[in-house]
Amino acid sequence: MDQGLLPRRYAKALYKYAAEKDATAGVYALMQRISAAFSSTPGLQKALANPFVSDADKQQLAASAAGTVPGKDPILDDFVSLLIRNHRIDLLHETAIAYEMLYRRTNNIYSVNIESAAPLSDSDRSRITSLVERHLHGATAEYSFTVDPDLIGGFVVNIENERLDASVRNELEQMRQHLIS
């Protein structure tokens, strides 16, 4: 079975379960924290996939990744128990990402990353986010801002699969390509 298909199926089941409990937004926040924990702690995936780590410890690790403790969030506890019972706890990270994508799509939310060569001033952030919001025609946007000095100057806006590259690096690359051809 496609490794991407299983996490999407688990995410869809989790979304339906959370919807029954009127808790989709709360679970979305948990999944965001789990995704962030996997990104910042590379050993977490190995620990969850390790057959010598007890199920109780895996439950504790998953809860800690979500920023909670076992027993505090019954939806998360039930879901992690399901993954453990089905020997799929190693899919927790991919399932969290799939849940985030499903939640955003269902609620018309776009993930927007704005990269700049240097930290943006408040007025520059405001101008760029205003342009993005007009482009999204009323949809909601979740912004993240990163600094990449390799851009030399300007900025790059990534909205899901769209990219607007207004960086000096891109301008120089286009000039180089024009001179070569």
Side-chain angles (χ1 to χ4, degrees):
M1 206 175 232
D2 178 12
Q3 193 69 346
L5 181 60
L6 283 173
R8 286 193 305 271
R9 285 184 177 172
Y10 276 106
K12 189 174 181 181
L14 176 59
Y15 188 87
K16 285 182 179 180
Y17 183 59
E20 290 172 5
K21 306 284 186 188
D22 196 30
T24 56
V27 173
Y28 177 63
L30 291 171
M31 295 299 115
Q32 287 180 307
R33 289 195 296 269
I34 286 172
S35 291
F38 274 97
S39 297
S40 66
T41 312
L44 183 57
Q45 182 68 32
K46 288 181 183 177
L48 287 174
N50 188 336
F52 296 108
V53 175
S54 72
D55 290 348
D57 287 342
K58 289 178 182 182
Q59 188 88 31
Q60 176 66 46
L61 281 170
S64 295
T68 186
V69 294
K72 186 173 182 185
D73 190 305
I75 295 173
L76 179 66
D77 292 340
D78 290 348
F79 183 67
V80 171
S81 294
L82 174 72
L83 290 176
I84 290 171
R85 265 193 326 274
N86 291 343
H87 306 287
R88 299 290 189 191
I89 191 64
D90 59 317
L91 298 177
L92 181 60
H93 184 212
E94 291 87 1
T95 302
I97 292 168
Y99 184 93
E100 289 178 74
M101 291 171 55
L102 175 61
Y103 182 86
R104 282 192 211 109
R105 186 175 62 242
T106 303
N107 293 285
N108 201 23
I109 300 171
Y110 289 87
S111 177
V112 179
N113 181 13
I114 300 172
E115 296 175 71
S116 58
L120 295 171
S121 67
D122 290 340
S123 64
D124 288 339
R125 278 185 185 215
S126 179
R127 277 191 6 240
I128 294 171
T129 56
S130 173
L131 290 170
V132 168
E133 287 168 8
R134 276 187 289 187
H135 176 71
L136 295 177
H137 305 292
T140 305
E142 290 182 342
Y143 293 98
S144 64
F145 295 88
T146 55
V147 174
D148 181 2
D150 291 340
L151 295 177
I152 303 170
F155 60 91
V156 176
V157 178
N158 293 300
I159 305 171
E160 304 292 329
N161 295 327
E162 293 181 66
R163 182 178 178 95
L164 166 67
D165 193 337
S167 67
V168 173
R169 177 180 67 192
N170 183 51
E171 294 288 329
L172 291 172
E173 179 60 27
Q174 287 181 5
M175 287 172 53
R176 185 182 76 76
Q177 291 294 329
H178 182 70
L179 292 172
I180 291 174
S181 56

